[in-house]
Amino acid sequence: MSKVGFIGLGIMGGPMAANLVAAGHEVTGYNRSQAKIDQLVAKGGKAASTVAEAVRDAEVIFTMLPDSPDVEAVVLGEDGVLAHAREGALLVDCSTIRPDVSRRVAEAAAEKGVRALDAPVSGGEPKAIDGTLSIMVGGEESTFAAARDVLGAVGTTVVHVGPAGAGQTVKAANQLIVAGNIGLLAEALVFLEAHGVDTEAGLKVLGGGLAGSTVLDAKGDKMRNREFGPGFRIELHHKDMGIVQAAAREAGLTIPLGALVGQLVAAANAQGDGKLDHSGLFRQIANLNGRD
Ligand code: NAD
């Protein structure tokens, strides 16, 4: 069992930290807002009032933060993780951020004798709660092996995909696929509604054939019932479409479908839907058709 420091106890980090506690690890949590720390303490974790306090004694440090600048501030900042982590500690960043930032974090960590992994996750809040996330890991093979046990407490599909940054590249592909799926599911639902089809029956049979998908299973009823509480916020998916676009450009690629759905996600964000679940992209597709 390990001493774990966990920073970022939000929609995903909160349940992940709780699952590490449930697996028998000693988890000390820190978050910007105190309420999230209190929730972890209620589940058997310990409270830290600074990043330093969370990481000082930790053998493994998890970060689960919104965006690249947050990870840069918390990990590389003056009073951040690397300023206080002990030599030999494992740093597992599960945030979805730019691959180049993950590579920079890994280099800075190595200079301090800290072994870093980028380990972004997929599966959303339900799988974070169940401990069944899919985790795409970039970093040294030996570091991956050392983190296998703690990652097994939060995920079931845990795959080493390459060197530092590779986890983020795979996650960017994940976000491209998910956004495209959500866009097409929304179009199909608007289409079925316009034709007066029983959408519950329609989605049920579609789900059993080649059109079936995890997105359809997880988001179909949310769209049918117009229940768009997060979940995964549109503003975060907008961030991720930016990561995908930049990484595609870097590789000299064109991603026409990704560009289109990226614009729809950007429109949703610009029109004030950023705090909705990404299934709320449905509203953009519906509005384009004069429907709601
Ligand atoms: P969230 O906003 O719910 O959680 C982030 C937490 O970090 C918040 O509690 C916030 O207070 C805390 N935080 C931010 N800056 C901090 C700082 N400087 N110091 C301490 N705490 C700080 O976001 P989330 O939905 O949990 O997503 C976290 C990451 O996981 C994002 O990169 C997101 O893209 C990714 N992700 C989210 C989902 C999902 O379904 N929500 C799924 C897969 C991946």
mmCIF file of all heavy atoms in Angstrom, residues 7-14 30-33 36 51 64-68 70-71 73-74 94-97 120-126 133 171 174-175 219 230-233 235-237 239-240 277-278, ligand 1:
data_model
loop_
_atom_site.group_PDB
_atom_site.id
_atom_site.type_symbol
_atom_site.label_atom_id
_atom_site.label_comp_id
_atom_site.label_asym_id
_atom_site.label_seq_id
_atom_site.Cartn_x
_atom_site.Cartn_y
_atom_site.Cartn_z
ATOM 1 N N ILE A 7 -4.007 15.753 -5.895
ATOM 2 C CA ILE A 7 -4.328 17.183 -6.081
ATOM 3 C C ILE A 7 -5.325 17.344 -7.221
ATOM 4 O O ILE A 7 -5.063 16.912 -8.354
ATOM 5 C CB ILE A 7 -3.038 17.981 -6.381
ATOM 6 C CG1 ILE A 7 -2.055 17.796 -5.225
ATOM 7 C CG2 ILE A 7 -3.357 19.463 -6.577
ATOM 8 C CD1 ILE A 7 -0.655 18.201 -5.549
ATOM 9 N N GLY A 8 -6.469 17.967 -6.907
ATOM 10 C CA GLY A 8 -7.536 18.162 -7.899
ATOM 11 C C GLY A 8 -8.638 17.154 -7.666
ATOM 12 O O GLY A 8 -8.665 16.074 -8.270
ATOM 13 N N LEU A 9 -9.552 17.500 -6.745
ATOM 14 C CA LEU A 9 -10.579 16.538 -6.300
ATOM 15 C C LEU A 9 -11.941 16.898 -6.892
ATOM 16 O O LEU A 9 -12.944 16.966 -6.188
ATOM 17 C CB LEU A 9 -10.638 16.530 -4.763
ATOM 18 C CG LEU A 9 -9.321 16.194 -4.057
ATOM 19 C CD1 LEU A 9 -9.412 16.512 -2.567
ATOM 20 C CD2 LEU A 9 -8.959 14.722 -4.267
ATOM 21 N N GLY A 10 -11.983 17.146 -8.207
ATOM 22 C CA GLY A 10 -13.226 17.561 -8.862
ATOM 23 C C GLY A 10 -14.087 16.376 -9.267
ATOM 24 O O GLY A 10 -14.079 15.325 -8.619
ATOM 25 N N ILE A 11 -14.822 16.544 -10.357
ATOM 26 C CA ILE A 11 -15.766 15.513 -10.822
ATOM 27 C C ILE A 11 -15.054 14.174 -10.994
ATOM 28 O O ILE A 11 -15.584 13.130 -10.617
ATOM 29 C CB ILE A 11 -16.440 15.965 -12.147
ATOM 30 C CG1 ILE A 11 -17.429 17.098 -11.852
ATOM 31 C CG2 ILE A 11 -17.124 14.792 -12.846
ATOM 32 C CD1 ILE A 11 -18.140 17.675 -13.067
ATOM 33 N N MET A 12 -13.847 14.197 -11.527
ATOM 34 C CA MET A 12 -13.094 12.950 -11.753
ATOM 35 C C MET A 12 -12.156 12.625 -10.591
ATOM 36 O O MET A 12 -12.089 11.482 -10.126
ATOM 37 C CB MET A 12 -12.266 13.068 -13.038
ATOM 38 C CG MET A 12 -13.082 13.276 -14.293
ATOM 39 S SD MET A 12 -14.172 11.900 -14.672
ATOM 40 C CE MET A 12 -13.001 10.732 -15.346
ATOM 41 N N GLY A 13 -11.411 13.623 -10.130
ATOM 42 C CA GLY A 13 -10.407 13.385 -9.096
ATOM 43 C C GLY A 13 -11.011 12.947 -7.770
ATOM 44 O O GLY A 13 -10.421 12.096 -7.077
ATOM 45 N N GLY A 14 -12.182 13.487 -7.431
ATOM 46 C CA GLY A 14 -12.827 13.123 -6.166
ATOM 47 C C GLY A 14 -13.074 11.620 -6.063
ATOM 48 O O GLY A 14 -12.557 10.954 -5.148
ATOM 49 N N TYR A 30 -5.598 17.448 -1.743
ATOM 50 C CA TYR A 30 -5.625 18.922 -1.754
ATOM 51 C C TYR A 30 -6.417 19.384 -2.968
ATOM 52 O O TYR A 30 -6.305 18.831 -4.059
ATOM 53 C CB TYR A 30 -4.203 19.516 -1.824
ATOM 54 C CG TYR A 30 -4.234 21.008 -1.995
ATOM 55 C CD1 TYR A 30 -4.698 21.830 -0.971
ATOM 56 C CD2 TYR A 30 -3.863 21.595 -3.204
ATOM 57 C CE1 TYR A 30 -4.778 23.202 -1.143
ATOM 58 C CE2 TYR A 30 -3.918 22.970 -3.381
ATOM 59 C CZ TYR A 30 -4.382 23.774 -2.336
ATOM 60 O OH TYR A 30 -4.474 25.130 -2.513
ATOM 61 N N ASN A 31 -7.251 20.403 -2.744
ATOM 62 C CA ASN A 31 -8.039 21.007 -3.812
ATOM 63 C C ASN A 31 -8.146 22.499 -3.523
ATOM 64 O O ASN A 31 -8.015 22.916 -2.381
ATOM 65 C CB ASN A 31 -9.444 20.368 -3.849
ATOM 66 C CG ASN A 31 -10.199 20.710 -5.118
ATOM 67 O OD1 ASN A 31 -9.897 20.194 -6.190
ATOM 68 N ND2 ASN A 31 -11.174 21.596 -5.026
ATOM 69 N N ARG A 32 -8.433 23.277 -4.571
ATOM 70 C CA ARG A 32 -8.552 24.727 -4.385
ATOM 71 C C ARG A 32 -9.725 25.065 -3.466
ATOM 72 O O ARG A 32 -9.652 25.988 -2.697
ATOM 73 C CB ARG A 32 -8.723 25.383 -5.753
ATOM 74 C CG ARG A 32 -8.101 26.736 -5.872
ATOM 75 C CD ARG A 32 -7.955 27.165 -7.297
ATOM 76 N NE ARG A 32 -9.032 26.659 -8.154
ATOM 77 C CZ ARG A 32 -9.064 26.835 -9.461
ATOM 78 N NH1 ARG A 32 -8.103 27.490 -10.049
ATOM 79 N NH2 ARG A 32 -10.053 26.364 -10.178
ATOM 80 N N SER A 33 -10.800 24.298 -3.583
ATOM 81 C CA SER A 33 -11.964 24.571 -2.717
ATOM 82 C C SER A 33 -12.031 23.516 -1.614
ATOM 83 O O SER A 33 -11.894 22.311 -1.873
ATOM 84 C CB SER A 33 -13.250 24.577 -3.544
ATOM 85 O OG SER A 33 -13.300 23.436 -4.361
ATOM 86 N N LYS A 36 -14.385 20.060 -1.386
ATOM 87 C CA LYS A 36 -13.957 18.817 -2.050
ATOM 88 C C LYS A 36 -13.002 18.034 -1.151
ATOM 89 O O LYS A 36 -13.006 16.800 -1.155
ATOM 90 C CB LYS A 36 -13.260 19.139 -3.385
ATOM 91 C CG LYS A 36 -14.128 19.927 -4.373
ATOM 92 C CD LYS A 36 -15.121 19.018 -5.045
ATOM 93 C CE LYS A 36 -16.142 19.742 -5.900
ATOM 94 N NZ LYS A 36 -15.589 20.542 -6.973
ATOM 95 N N VAL A 51 -0.315 22.355 -1.467
ATOM 96 C CA VAL A 51 0.285 21.339 -2.342
ATOM 97 C C VAL A 51 1.445 20.669 -1.610
ATOM 98 O O VAL A 51 1.590 19.439 -1.604
ATOM 99 C CB VAL A 51 0.775 21.983 -3.666
ATOM 100 C CG1 VAL A 51 1.642 21.010 -4.453
ATOM 101 C CG2 VAL A 51 -0.398 22.464 -4.504
ATOM 102 N N MET A 64 -5.100 15.811 -10.996
ATOM 103 C CA MET A 64 -6.273 15.701 -11.879
ATOM 104 C C MET A 64 -6.881 17.091 -11.997
ATOM 105 O O MET A 64 -7.844 17.428 -11.311
ATOM 106 C CB MET A 64 -7.270 14.689 -11.298
ATOM 107 C CG MET A 64 -8.395 14.313 -12.247
ATOM 108 S SD MET A 64 -7.799 13.963 -13.922
ATOM 109 C CE MET A 64 -9.091 12.945 -14.584
ATOM 110 N N LEU A 65 -6.276 17.894 -12.872
ATOM 111 C CA LEU A 65 -6.574 19.327 -12.970
ATOM 112 C C LEU A 65 -7.161 19.651 -14.341
ATOM 113 O O LEU A 65 -7.008 18.864 -15.280
ATOM 114 C CB LEU A 65 -5.283 20.111 -12.731
ATOM 115 C CG LEU A 65 -4.668 19.871 -11.337
ATOM 116 C CD1 LEU A 65 -3.190 20.239 -11.306
ATOM 117 C CD2 LEU A 65 -5.455 20.642 -10.279
ATOM 118 N N PRO A 66 -7.823 20.816 -14.466
ATOM 119 C CA PRO A 66 -8.540 21.075 -15.718
ATOM 120 C C PRO A 66 -7.673 21.170 -16.978
ATOM 121 O O PRO A 66 -7.969 20.539 -17.990
ATOM 122 C CB PRO A 66 -9.243 22.414 -15.441
ATOM 123 C CG PRO A 66 -9.382 22.481 -13.954
ATOM 124 C CD PRO A 66 -8.162 21.792 -13.412
ATOM 125 N N ASP A 67 -6.591 21.976 -16.958
ATOM 126 C CA ASP A 67 -5.957 22.359 -18.221
ATOM 127 C C ASP A 67 -4.433 22.488 -18.060
ATOM 128 O O ASP A 67 -3.911 22.459 -16.944
ATOM 129 C CB ASP A 67 -6.572 23.705 -18.662
ATOM 130 C CG ASP A 67 -6.418 23.980 -20.147
ATOM 131 O OD1 ASP A 67 -5.695 23.234 -20.835
ATOM 132 O OD2 ASP A 67 -6.999 24.979 -20.618
ATOM 133 N N SER A 68 -3.743 22.659 -19.184
ATOM 134 C CA SER A 68 -2.269 22.736 -19.171
ATOM 135 C C SER A 68 -1.733 23.792 -18.200
ATOM 136 O O SER A 68 -0.818 23.495 -17.415
ATOM 137 C CB SER A 68 -1.745 23.019 -20.584
ATOM 138 O OG SER A 68 -2.152 22.012 -21.471
ATOM 139 N N ASP A 70 -2.966 24.895 -15.510
ATOM 140 C CA ASP A 70 -3.170 24.450 -14.127
ATOM 141 C C ASP A 70 -2.083 23.457 -13.727
ATOM 142 O O ASP A 70 -1.537 23.519 -12.626
ATOM 143 C CB ASP A 70 -4.559 23.790 -13.973
ATOM 144 C CG ASP A 70 -5.676 24.710 -14.435
ATOM 145 O OD1 ASP A 70 -5.750 25.834 -13.924
ATOM 146 O OD2 ASP A 70 -6.463 24.314 -15.313
ATOM 147 N N VAL A 71 -1.776 22.533 -14.633
ATOM 148 C CA VAL A 71 -0.735 21.537 -14.335
ATOM 149 C C VAL A 71 0.622 22.229 -14.233
ATOM 150 O O VAL A 71 1.423 21.933 -13.326
ATOM 151 C CB VAL A 71 -0.727 20.423 -15.402
ATOM 152 C CG1 VAL A 71 0.457 19.479 -15.196
ATOM 153 C CG2 VAL A 71 -2.041 19.655 -15.379
ATOM 154 N N ALA A 73 1.211 25.276 -13.292
ATOM 155 C CA ALA A 73 1.280 26.028 -12.033
ATOM 156 C C ALA A 73 1.459 25.087 -10.843
ATOM 157 O O ALA A 73 2.321 25.308 -9.989
ATOM 158 C CB ALA A 73 0.008 26.874 -11.857
ATOM 159 N N VAL A 74 0.665 24.025 -10.807
ATOM 160 C CA VAL A 74 0.669 23.142 -9.630
ATOM 161 C C VAL A 74 1.935 22.281 -9.582
ATOM 162 O O VAL A 74 2.479 22.036 -8.512
ATOM 163 C CB VAL A 74 -0.606 22.250 -9.622
ATOM 164 C CG1 VAL A 74 -0.497 21.124 -8.605
ATOM 165 C CG2 VAL A 74 -1.839 23.098 -9.352
ATOM 166 N N CYS A 94 -3.125 12.751 -14.395
ATOM 167 C CA CYS A 94 -4.281 12.199 -15.118
ATOM 168 C C CYS A 94 -5.063 13.269 -15.861
ATOM 169 O O CYS A 94 -6.057 12.955 -16.536
ATOM 170 C CB CYS A 94 -5.197 11.462 -14.132
ATOM 171 S SG CYS A 94 -4.410 10.017 -13.411
ATOM 172 N N SER A 95 -4.668 14.530 -15.735
ATOM 173 C CA SER A 95 -5.346 15.620 -16.438
ATOM 174 C C SER A 95 -5.197 15.433 -17.944
ATOM 175 O O SER A 95 -4.231 14.837 -18.407
ATOM 176 C CB SER A 95 -4.708 16.965 -16.070
ATOM 177 O OG SER A 95 -4.256 17.002 -14.730
ATOM 178 N N THR A 96 -6.152 15.969 -18.713
ATOM 179 C CA THR A 96 -6.006 15.992 -20.168
ATOM 180 C C THR A 96 -5.368 17.318 -20.541
ATOM 181 O O THR A 96 -5.996 18.379 -20.403
ATOM 182 C CB THR A 96 -7.374 15.867 -20.860
ATOM 183 O OG1 THR A 96 -8.020 14.685 -20.404
ATOM 184 C CG2 THR A 96 -7.211 15.816 -22.372
ATOM 185 N N ILE A 97 -4.125 17.264 -20.995
ATOM 186 C CA ILE A 97 -3.395 18.499 -21.331
ATOM 187 C C ILE A 97 -2.620 18.300 -22.627
ATOM 188 O O ILE A 97 -2.648 17.221 -23.225
ATOM 189 C CB ILE A 97 -2.447 18.930 -20.188
ATOM 190 C CG1 ILE A 97 -1.387 17.847 -19.914
ATOM 191 C CG2 ILE A 97 -3.242 19.247 -18.920
ATOM 192 C CD1 ILE A 97 -0.272 18.308 -18.983
ATOM 193 N N PRO A 120 -3.777 10.282 -18.841
ATOM 194 C CA PRO A 120 -5.146 10.769 -18.994
ATOM 195 C C PRO A 120 -6.131 9.606 -19.068
ATOM 196 O O PRO A 120 -5.740 8.480 -19.418
ATOM 197 C CB PRO A 120 -5.106 11.551 -20.314
ATOM 198 C CG PRO A 120 -3.946 11.010 -21.052
ATOM 199 C CD PRO A 120 -2.947 10.581 -20.020
ATOM 200 N N VAL A 121 -7.370 9.905 -18.735
ATOM 201 C CA VAL A 121 -8.357 8.834 -18.568
ATOM 202 C C VAL A 121 -9.553 9.058 -19.480
ATOM 203 O O VAL A 121 -9.819 10.168 -19.926
ATOM 204 C CB VAL A 121 -8.840 8.764 -17.103
ATOM 205 C CG1 VAL A 121 -7.654 8.671 -16.150
ATOM 206 C CG2 VAL A 121 -9.720 9.962 -16.734
ATOM 207 N N SER A 122 -10.303 7.992 -19.704
ATOM 208 C CA SER A 122 -11.564 8.090 -20.434
ATOM 209 C C SER A 122 -12.600 7.215 -19.741
ATOM 210 O O SER A 122 -12.253 6.201 -19.141
ATOM 211 C CB SER A 122 -11.374 7.639 -21.889
ATOM 212 O OG SER A 122 -12.593 7.768 -22.593
ATOM 213 N N GLY A 123 -13.858 7.640 -19.841
ATOM 214 C CA GLY A 123 -14.938 6.872 -19.216
ATOM 215 C C GLY A 123 -15.898 7.760 -18.448
ATOM 216 O O GLY A 123 -16.997 7.348 -18.110
ATOM 217 N N GLY A 124 -15.456 8.989 -18.168
ATOM 218 C CA GLY A 124 -16.332 9.945 -17.514
ATOM 219 C C GLY A 124 -16.597 9.637 -16.056
ATOM 220 O O GLY A 124 -16.022 8.701 -15.479
ATOM 221 N N GLU A 125 -17.480 10.444 -15.478
ATOM 222 C CA GLU A 125 -17.771 10.353 -14.042
ATOM 223 C C GLU A 125 -18.249 8.951 -13.615
ATOM 224 O O GLU A 125 -17.785 8.439 -12.592
ATOM 225 C CB GLU A 125 -18.806 11.420 -13.676
ATOM 226 C CG GLU A 125 -19.035 11.551 -12.189
ATOM 227 C CD GLU A 125 -20.124 12.583 -11.865
ATOM 228 O OE1 GLU A 125 -20.914 12.926 -12.765
ATOM 229 O OE2 GLU A 125 -20.171 13.023 -10.711
ATOM 230 N N PRO A 126 -19.141 8.282 -14.394
ATOM 231 C CA PRO A 126 -19.603 6.968 -13.935
ATOM 232 C C PRO A 126 -18.458 5.974 -13.757
ATOM 233 O O PRO A 126 -18.408 5.234 -12.782
ATOM 234 C CB PRO A 126 -20.554 6.514 -15.053
ATOM 235 C CG PRO A 126 -20.980 7.763 -15.744
ATOM 236 C CD PRO A 126 -19.830 8.709 -15.628
ATOM 237 N N LEU A 133 -12.057 3.119 -15.165
ATOM 238 C CA LEU A 133 -11.604 4.020 -16.224
ATOM 239 C C LEU A 133 -10.683 3.313 -17.213
ATOM 240 O O LEU A 133 -10.057 2.302 -16.878
ATOM 241 C CB LEU A 133 -10.862 5.212 -15.610
ATOM 242 C CG LEU A 133 -11.738 6.213 -14.849
ATOM 243 C CD1 LEU A 133 -10.873 7.115 -13.974
ATOM 244 C CD2 LEU A 133 -12.577 7.041 -15.816
ATOM 245 N N LYS A 171 -5.106 10.300 -25.876
ATOM 246 C CA LYS A 171 -6.305 10.945 -25.318
ATOM 247 C C LYS A 171 -6.883 11.964 -26.307
ATOM 248 O O LYS A 171 -8.109 12.102 -26.426
ATOM 249 C CB LYS A 171 -5.957 11.616 -23.988
ATOM 250 C CG LYS A 171 -7.071 12.426 -23.364
ATOM 251 C CD LYS A 171 -8.259 11.597 -22.879
ATOM 252 C CE LYS A 171 -9.368 12.496 -22.360
ATOM 253 N NZ LYS A 171 -10.545 11.761 -21.903
ATOM 254 N N ASN A 174 -8.882 10.140 -28.619
ATOM 255 C CA ASN A 174 -10.112 9.753 -27.914
ATOM 256 C C ASN A 174 -11.148 10.884 -27.981
ATOM 257 O O ASN A 174 -12.333 10.668 -28.292
ATOM 258 C CB ASN A 174 -9.758 9.460 -26.446
ATOM 259 C CG ASN A 174 -10.923 8.962 -25.623
ATOM 260 O OD1 ASN A 174 -11.206 7.771 -25.601
ATOM 261 N ND2 ASN A 174 -11.611 9.854 -24.933
ATOM 262 N N GLN A 175 -10.691 12.101 -27.730
ATOM 263 C CA GLN A 175 -11.618 13.243 -27.691
ATOM 264 C C GLN A 175 -12.161 13.579 -29.076
ATOM 265 O O GLN A 175 -13.293 14.042 -29.213
ATOM 266 C CB GLN A 175 -10.924 14.461 -27.073
ATOM 267 C CG GLN A 175 -10.562 14.263 -25.607
ATOM 268 C CD GLN A 175 -11.749 13.815 -24.781
ATOM 269 O OE1 GLN A 175 -12.124 12.649 -24.773
ATOM 270 N NE2 GLN A 175 -12.377 14.752 -24.091
ATOM 271 N N LYS A 219 -24.987 8.610 -23.633
ATOM 272 C CA LYS A 219 -25.507 9.960 -23.880
ATOM 273 C C LYS A 219 -26.878 10.002 -24.556
ATOM 274 O O LYS A 219 -27.501 11.066 -24.623
ATOM 275 C CB LYS A 219 -24.515 10.765 -24.751
ATOM 276 C CG LYS A 219 -23.081 10.794 -24.219
ATOM 277 C CD LYS A 219 -22.960 11.537 -22.903
ATOM 278 C CE LYS A 219 -21.516 11.576 -22.420
ATOM 279 N NZ LYS A 219 -21.372 12.186 -21.089
ATOM 280 N N PRO A 230 -23.389 18.200 -16.052
ATOM 281 C CA PRO A 230 -22.113 17.480 -16.241
ATOM 282 C C PRO A 230 -21.884 16.468 -15.116
ATOM 283 O O PRO A 230 -22.368 16.679 -14.011
ATOM 284 C CB PRO A 230 -21.082 18.611 -16.126
ATOM 285 C CG PRO A 230 -21.733 19.650 -15.253
ATOM 286 C CD PRO A 230 -23.221 19.517 -15.464
ATOM 287 N N GLY A 231 -21.144 15.359 -15.316
ATOM 288 C CA GLY A 231 -20.452 14.959 -16.503
ATOM 289 C C GLY A 231 -19.184 15.701 -16.936
ATOM 290 O O GLY A 231 -18.429 16.196 -16.135
ATOM 291 N N PHE A 232 -19.011 15.674 -18.210
ATOM 292 C CA PHE A 232 -17.830 16.258 -18.849
ATOM 293 C C PHE A 232 -18.267 17.555 -19.510
ATOM 294 O O PHE A 232 -19.058 17.543 -20.457
ATOM 295 C CB PHE A 232 -17.241 15.280 -19.872
ATOM 296 C CG PHE A 232 -15.978 15.797 -20.512
ATOM 297 C CD1 PHE A 232 -14.842 16.032 -19.758
ATOM 298 C CD2 PHE A 232 -15.932 16.058 -21.871
ATOM 299 C CE1 PHE A 232 -13.686 16.519 -20.339
ATOM 300 C CE2 PHE A 232 -14.778 16.533 -22.468
ATOM 301 C CZ PHE A 232 -13.650 16.767 -21.695
ATOM 302 N N ARG A 233 -17.719 18.652 -19.007
ATOM 303 C CA ARG A 233 -18.213 19.957 -19.449
ATOM 304 C C ARG A 233 -17.763 20.293 -20.867
ATOM 305 O O ARG A 233 -16.634 20.003 -21.267
ATOM 306 C CB ARG A 233 -17.725 21.053 -18.491
ATOM 307 C CG ARG A 233 -18.240 20.892 -17.070
ATOM 308 C CD ARG A 233 -17.970 22.141 -16.233
ATOM 309 N NE ARG A 233 -16.570 22.478 -16.107
ATOM 310 C CZ ARG A 233 -15.743 21.923 -15.223
ATOM 311 N NH1 ARG A 233 -16.172 20.989 -14.389
ATOM 312 N NH2 ARG A 233 -14.480 22.298 -15.163
ATOM 313 N N GLU A 235 -16.903 23.103 -21.970
ATOM 314 C CA GLU A 235 -15.704 23.967 -21.960
ATOM 315 C C GLU A 235 -14.422 23.126 -21.935
ATOM 316 O O GLU A 235 -13.403 23.519 -22.516
ATOM 317 C CB GLU A 235 -15.748 24.961 -20.792
ATOM 318 C CG GLU A 235 -15.725 24.308 -19.435
ATOM 319 C CD GLU A 235 -15.949 25.285 -18.279
ATOM 320 O OE1 GLU A 235 -16.228 26.464 -18.518
ATOM 321 O OE2 GLU A 235 -15.846 24.831 -17.115
ATOM 322 N N LEU A 236 -14.476 21.955 -21.288
ATOM 323 C CA LEU A 236 -13.297 21.077 -21.271
ATOM 324 C C LEU A 236 -13.124 20.375 -22.622
ATOM 325 O O LEU A 236 -12.003 20.181 -23.094
ATOM 326 C CB LEU A 236 -13.399 20.054 -20.142
ATOM 327 C CG LEU A 236 -13.254 20.607 -18.712
ATOM 328 C CD1 LEU A 236 -13.491 19.513 -17.675
ATOM 329 C CD2 LEU A 236 -11.876 21.237 -18.496
ATOM 330 N N HIS A 237 -14.247 20.020 -23.250
ATOM 331 C CA HIS A 237 -14.120 19.380 -24.572
ATOM 332 C C HIS A 237 -13.624 20.409 -25.608
ATOM 333 O O HIS A 237 -12.877 20.066 -26.529
ATOM 334 C CB HIS A 237 -15.447 18.740 -25.014
ATOM 335 C CG HIS A 237 -15.236 17.493 -25.816
ATOM 336 N ND1 HIS A 237 -16.017 16.375 -25.731
ATOM 337 C CD2 HIS A 237 -14.274 17.169 -26.736
ATOM 338 C CE1 HIS A 237 -15.566 15.451 -26.556
ATOM 339 N NE2 HIS A 237 -14.514 15.917 -27.178
ATOM 340 N N LYS A 239 -11.513 22.803 -24.921
ATOM 341 C CA LYS A 239 -10.056 22.762 -24.682
ATOM 342 C C LYS A 239 -9.431 21.582 -25.439
ATOM 343 O O LYS A 239 -8.424 21.725 -26.126
ATOM 344 C CB LYS A 239 -9.802 22.616 -23.174
ATOM 345 C CG LYS A 239 -8.396 22.171 -22.799
ATOM 346 C CD LYS A 239 -8.324 21.489 -21.439
ATOM 347 C CE LYS A 239 -9.175 20.287 -21.294
ATOM 348 N NZ LYS A 239 -8.759 19.183 -20.477
ATOM 349 N N ASP A 240 -10.062 20.415 -25.352
ATOM 350 C CA ASP A 240 -9.485 19.208 -25.950
ATOM 351 C C ASP A 240 -9.491 19.271 -27.478
ATOM 352 O O ASP A 240 -8.562 18.767 -28.122
ATOM 353 C CB ASP A 240 -10.238 17.967 -25.466
ATOM 354 C CG ASP A 240 -10.047 17.738 -23.977
ATOM 355 O OD1 ASP A 240 -9.142 18.371 -23.388
ATOM 356 O OD2 ASP A 240 -10.802 16.942 -23.389
ATOM 357 N N ASP A 277 -22.909 19.356 -19.819
ATOM 358 C CA ASP A 277 -22.261 18.130 -20.274
ATOM 359 C C ASP A 277 -22.087 18.193 -21.799
ATOM 360 O O ASP A 277 -22.908 18.813 -22.495
ATOM 361 C CB ASP A 277 -23.136 16.924 -19.906
ATOM 362 C CG ASP A 277 -22.460 15.613 -20.240
ATOM 363 O OD1 ASP A 277 -21.490 15.263 -19.555
ATOM 364 O OD2 ASP A 277 -22.897 14.937 -21.206
ATOM 365 N N HIS A 278 -21.072 17.506 -22.318
ATOM 366 C CA HIS A 278 -20.832 17.578 -23.774
ATOM 367 C C HIS A 278 -21.973 16.983 -24.604
ATOM 368 O O HIS A 278 -22.084 17.287 -25.787
ATOM 369 C CB HIS A 278 -19.462 17.028 -24.187
ATOM 370 C CG HIS A 278 -19.125 15.664 -23.700
ATOM 371 N ND1 HIS A 278 -18.011 14.988 -24.125
ATOM 372 C CD2 HIS A 278 -19.730 14.839 -22.819
ATOM 373 C CE1 HIS A 278 -17.947 13.820 -23.521
ATOM 374 N NE2 HIS A 278 -18.972 13.706 -22.720
HETATM 375 P P1 NAD B 1 -13.240 19.613 -12.440
HETATM 376 O O1 NAD B 1 -13.210 21.067 -12.771
HETATM 377 O O2 NAD B 1 -14.482 19.015 -11.882
HETATM 378 O O3 NAD B 1 -12.049 19.274 -11.402
HETATM 379 C C1 NAD B 1 -10.821 19.936 -11.346
HETATM 380 C C2 NAD B 1 -10.509 20.218 -9.883
HETATM 381 O O4 NAD B 1 -9.218 20.801 -9.786
HETATM 382 C C3 NAD B 1 -11.500 21.199 -9.242
HETATM 383 O O5 NAD B 1 -12.028 20.633 -8.056
HETATM 384 C C4 NAD B 1 -10.652 22.436 -8.971
HETATM 385 O O6 NAD B 1 -11.041 23.125 -7.788
HETATM 386 C C5 NAD B 1 -9.277 21.827 -8.818
HETATM 387 N N1 NAD B 1 -8.198 22.769 -9.082
HETATM 388 C C6 NAD B 1 -8.030 23.569 -10.169
HETATM 389 N N2 NAD B 1 -6.895 24.281 -10.063
HETATM 390 C C7 NAD B 1 -6.341 23.918 -8.871
HETATM 391 C C8 NAD B 1 -5.170 24.304 -8.197
HETATM 392 N N3 NAD B 1 -4.356 25.233 -8.705
HETATM 393 N N4 NAD B 1 -4.896 23.729 -7.014
HETATM 394 C C9 NAD B 1 -5.724 22.806 -6.476
HETATM 395 N N5 NAD B 1 -6.869 22.402 -7.069
HETATM 396 C C10 NAD B 1 -7.156 22.955 -8.258
HETATM 397 O O7 NAD B 1 -12.772 18.852 -13.755
HETATM 398 P P2 NAD B 1 -12.917 17.302 -14.113
HETATM 399 O O8 NAD B 1 -14.162 17.109 -14.901
HETATM 400 O O9 NAD B 1 -12.654 16.475 -12.899
HETATM 401 O O10 NAD B 1 -11.701 17.150 -15.148
HETATM 402 C C11 NAD B 1 -10.328 17.109 -14.728
HETATM 403 C C12 NAD B 1 -9.477 16.706 -15.932
HETATM 404 O O11 NAD B 1 -9.896 15.406 -16.372
HETATM 405 C C13 NAD B 1 -9.602 17.633 -17.128
HETATM 406 O O12 NAD B 1 -8.349 17.746 -17.761
HETATM 407 C C14 NAD B 1 -10.608 16.923 -18.011
HETATM 408 O O13 NAD B 1 -10.442 17.289 -19.374
HETATM 409 C C15 NAD B 1 -10.279 15.470 -17.729
HETATM 410 N N6 NAD B 1 -11.369 14.498 -17.920
HETATM 411 C C16 NAD B 1 -12.630 14.765 -17.455
HETATM 412 C C17 NAD B 1 -13.646 13.810 -17.653
HETATM 413 C C18 NAD B 1 -15.070 14.040 -17.192
HETATM 414 O O14 NAD B 1 -15.953 13.275 -17.613
HETATM 415 N N7 NAD B 1 -15.360 15.019 -16.356
HETATM 416 C C19 NAD B 1 -13.350 12.609 -18.289
HETATM 417 C C20 NAD B 1 -12.049 12.347 -18.702
HETATM 418 C C21 NAD B 1 -11.059 13.320 -18.515
#
